Amino acid sequence: SHILMHEIPNVAKQRIFNESYRLLKTGGIMVHLDSLSFLSPPNLAVRYFRDTEVYYNCEPFVACANLEDLNSFALEAGFAPQNCHTYQVSGYYSQQQGSTRPKWLAFCGVKG
């Protein structure tokens, strides 16, 4: 998925992880990409931006989006702990501008 995890409630996230696990063949990879600013604000200014999205931009689930929860959803769905990985990446356009600061979170699970 792409920038979906901050748009939906936790119960829907768990269903997506469950369905991802069910659909994958052994060795198949689940990847969820989302904004690191929404999932783990690095400072108070970014947290303020995230929180204003909740109130002024119809983003009701941004405030409960949490990157630590993604691992729990994966484990509950059946992914093994050693097959769950989190990557923080800067993204294509950031790299083109010379920035290496992570802006994206990619959560991956491999079905064992």
Side-chain angles (χ1 to χ4, degrees):
S1 69
H2 181 251
I3 58 172
L4 175 67
M5 292 295 119
H6 76 269
E7 297 285 353
I8 58 177
N10 287 341
V11 67
K13 291 175 195 163
Q14 186 63 64
R15 290 178 184 151
I16 289 170
F17 276 68
N18 293 348
E19 189 67 1
S20 295
Y21 187 83
R22 186 185 74 79
L23 292 173
L24 288 172
K25 294 180 181 179
T26 301
I29 302 170
M30 167 189 72
V31 178
H32 298 290
L33 181 70
D34 213 314
S35 167
L36 196 53
S37 296
F38 286 147
L39 296 174
S40 182
N43 57 50
L44 288 176
V46 176
R47 183 175 175 187
Y48 172 79
F49 168 74
R50 182 200 67 181
D51 291 347
T52 58
E53 290 292 297
V54 172
Y55 299 108
Y56 300 112
N57 199 23
C58 294
E59 294 277 2
F61 302 111
V62 168
C64 67
N66 189 331
L67 71 91
E68 288 83 18
D69 291 340
L70 299 180
N71 196 57
S72 298
F73 296 139
L75 296 176
E76 178 70 25
F79 290 92
Q82 68 272 18
N83 292 337
C84 298
H85 308 282
T86 303
Y87 302 97
Q88 295 184 9
V89 295
S90 60
Y92 176 79
Y93 292 109
S94 294
Q95 288 179 353
Q96 294 300 312
Q97 296 171 355
S99 174
T100 58
R101 193 185 79 180
K103 293 185 178 181
W104 295 95
L105 176 105
F107 183 86
C108 307
V110 180
K111 185 171 181 176

